[in-house]
Amino acid sequence: MLDLSENSLIGKIPPQLGDMKRLETMNLSHNDLSGSIPYIFGEMSEMSSLISVDISYNRLEGPLPNNKAFCEALFAALRNNSGLKACPSSITWSKNYGEKRQNKVVIFFIVPILGAMFLSLILFGILYHVLKRQGKRNKLNNLREAQNGNMFELWSYDGKMVYESIIEATEGFDSKHCVGVGGCGSVYKAELQTGQDVAVKKFHSIQDNRIANAKAFENESHALLEIRHHNVVKLYGFCSHPRHSFLVYEFLEGGSLKEILSNKKEVVNFEWVKRVNVVKGVVDALSYMHHDCSPSIVHRDISSKNIMLDLEYEAHISDFGTAKFLNPDSLNRTSFVGTFGYTAPKLACTMEVNEKCDVYSFGVLTLEIIMGKHPGDLISFLSSSLSSSATSSAAHSILLKDILDQRLEPPENEVLLKVVSIVKLAFACLATNPKSRPNMQEVSRELSIGRAPISSELFDMLTLGLLFNSG
């Protein structure tokens, strides 16, 4: 066998090939050979063993050699040449033989192929019928589960059903179902057919149906997929769709902490025990995010609007659109994000993000829970006492009981002790130097330590200056 096909050969076929007396198969196809085929391949040639040739896709011309291999060659072995002429003595024979041979080849290949295709169609039909019946059975099972309140157990394998249910429940995100609007998107309450209520955060869109805050969408879905904590809002799933991109959470009936503190009717039910438990819940969640997640997760926007409460006043941190996974091998510098009034004072200058940013925000949030309002003026006043002896003296004249939320009766007994401890920890978290602030594990440990009870007389004498300087 001699196979020189597809080698970009040029020029004429060397006549020396005719000396290969035992050559049976010769393939010179797909080259750039030209001229006529040497006479040595003719009838008088000693190449009696040659039975198959392929000279297609060249520029050969002239008569074919009067050799059995050339004369019996199929059309495919001779095609795409400049001007080859058939063997004079065997034109008819070669044509008839070639056609018969081609017909046999066609029949040999086509019949099995058609048979295989026919069997495949039969098998495909049977399989389709079985899968369709199985699909209907699964669909019925899914619907039964959904009717039992397990709609989001379907999310992983029937997301289309859940998606359509949410669109239907919000009537295409009609404004009447909207319960809140933020910088990244709007939050809707969706009551599904199963009776289950969910919160749907739909991200704002810009031109061409693109998400206006794609980074926030990515951050929030990524962070909540990593976090599993009872004091962090539960993420059921998310949908990235050209028309609607949204996150689906558990719906918390209590609303946000900010709403409760600003509602004169609701706030009277927000007693000191419940406020202490809210603080503890936020501490537990932040401690988990900072110390038990790998890599650590910094929320960067801890504020009263992002603390959601259930009907039992259990705290749940929400809105992870600005969350950041910390890289232990870098300084983690980033652009300024967060809510003014809760962010650490030096963050806007250094742009360095770490856990102590959340610690400062926690300090502000804690005082807000205790005071019933944002403590901005108080923080500014106490901070200035570090550099002014007159202000420091004034701070010692402010009684703790006078800054507590006056809409409630003063705390007593063990709750009183917890409130004092919480205020002291809040001041420690507000230290100007981040290194002076405790971490959330230390805060959690301090909250759990049992202390001697405080008498009402001693409480009446406690001043902010004493707590602030001892923080």
Side-chain angles (χ1 to χ4, degrees), residues 105-122:
V105 171
V106 169
I107 293 173
F108 180 78
F109 283 104
I110 292 297
V111 171
I113 291 173
L114 288 176
M117 289 177 64
F118 181 71
L119 290 175
S120 298
L121 286 173
I122 294 175

Side-chain angles (χ1 to χ4, degrees), residues 397-411:
S397 67
I398 300 177
L399 296 174
L400 171 61
K401 67 177 184 178
D402 292 335
I403 68 140
L404 299 184
D405 194 340
Q406 301 300 306
R407 294 171 292 184
L408 297 181
E409 292 293 326

Side-chain angles (χ1 to χ4, degrees), residues 211-237:
I211 306 176
N213 296 277
K215 184 62 176 177
F217 178 83
E218 180 183 344
N219 282 351
E220 191 155 5
S221 56
H222 186 193
L224 288 175
L225 286 172
E226 296 294 327
I227 298 174
R228 292 290 184 273
H229 195 275
H230 64 277
N231 290 116
V232 174
V233 67
K234 182 187 293 185
L235 176 72
Y236 289 127

Side-chain angles (χ1 to χ4, degrees), residues 12-71:
K12 296 185 177 182
I13 299 176
Q16 290 86 348
L17 291 180
D19 295 334
M20 303 177 71
K21 299 179 181 180
R22 289 198 244 173
L23 184 64
E24 295 180 353
T25 302
M26 180 175 68
N27 189 349
L28 304 178
S29 65
H30 295 84
N31 284 294
D32 197 24
L33 300 172
S34 58
S36 58
I37 302 174
Y39 69 92
I40 197 169
F41 289 98
E43 189 176 7
M44 304 301 296
S45 171
E46 297 182 2
M47 298 181 68
S48 57
S49 60
L50 189 65
I51 57 176
S52 174
V53 295
D54 189 345
I55 55 174
S56 60
Y57 294 92
N58 283 287
R59 293 191 296 116
L60 299 171
E61 56 187 6
L64 288 173
N66 193 11
N67 178 293
K68 184 177 180 181
F70 284 94
C71 294

Side-chain angles (χ1 to χ4, degrees), residues 39 48 64 66 126 230 280 289 300 303 374 380-381:
Y39 69 92
S48 57
L64 288 173
N66 193 11
I126 295 172
H230 64 277
K280 188 177 184 305
M289 290 161 54
R300 297 203 292 170
S303 62
H374 190 276
S380 300
F381 174 74

Side-chain angles (χ1 to χ4, degrees), residues 101-163:
R101 187 175 178 184
Q102 281 183 329
N103 290 338
K104 289 180 180 179
V105 171
V106 169
I107 293 173
F108 180 78
F109 283 104
I110 292 297
V111 171
I113 291 173
L114 288 176
M117 289 177 64
F118 181 71
L119 290 175
S120 298
L121 286 173
I122 294 175
L123 291 174
F124 177 79
I126 295 172
L127 183 62
Y128 175 79
H129 182 69
V130 171
L131 290 177
K132 189 174 181 180
R133 291 182 62 185
Q134 184 65 34
K136 288 182 178 179
R137 190 178 297 113
N138 290 339
K139 196 79 168 181
L140 289 173
N141 291 335
N142 293 347
L143 287 172
R144 291 191 189 101
E145 287 185 15
Q147 290 171 354
N148 293 328
N150 298 324
M151 172 65 76
F152 289 97
E153 292 181 6
L154 312 180
W155 186 278
S156 60
Y157 53 91
D158 200 348
K160 183 179 179 182
M161 178 188 292
V162 182
Y163 174 83

Side-chain angles (χ1 to χ4, degrees), residues 177-237:
H177 297 282
C178 184
V179 294
V181 179
C184 297
S186 301
V187 180
Y188 297 81
K189 179 181 179 181
E191 184 178 349
L192 305 178
Q193 293 178 348
T194 61
Q196 182 181 12
D197 290 336
V198 295
V200 183
K201 181 177 180 179
K202 179 181 177 294
F203 283 74
H204 299 315
S205 299
I206 54 178
Q207 293 180 347
D208 302 325
N209 291 322
R210 288 179 292 126
I211 306 176
N213 296 277
K215 184 62 176 177
F217 178 83
E218 180 183 344
N219 282 351
E220 191 155 5
S221 56
H222 186 193
L224 288 175
L225 286 172
E226 296 294 327
I227 298 174
R228 292 290 184 273
H229 195 275
H230 64 277
N231 290 116
V232 174
V233 67
K234 182 187 293 185
L235 176 72
Y236 289 127

Side-chain angles (χ1 to χ4, degrees), residues 329-404:
D329 300 323
S330 72
L331 291 177
N332 296 291
R333 296 187 186 277
T334 184
S335 57
F336 179 83
V337 295
T339 302
F340 288 104
Y342 295 89
T343 53
K346 289 188 176 181
L347 178 60
C349 300
T350 63
M351 295 300 179
E352 182 179 347
V353 178
N354 53 44
E355 296 93 335
K356 296 301 178 72
C357 299
D358 281 351
V359 172
Y360 184 92
S361 301
F362 166 77
V364 178
L365 174 71
T366 299
L367 287 182
E368 185 176 359
I369 294 172
I370 297 299
M371 297 174 63
K373 62 180 180 179
H374 190 276
D377 293 338
L378 177 63
I379 293 172
S380 300
F381 174 74
L382 293 176
S383 296
S384 63
S385 69
L386 294 174
S387 57
S388 171
S389 58
T391 311
S392 178
S393 177
H396 279 280
S397 67
I398 300 177
L399 296 174
L400 171 61
K401 67 177 184 178
D402 292 335
I403 68 140
L404 299 184

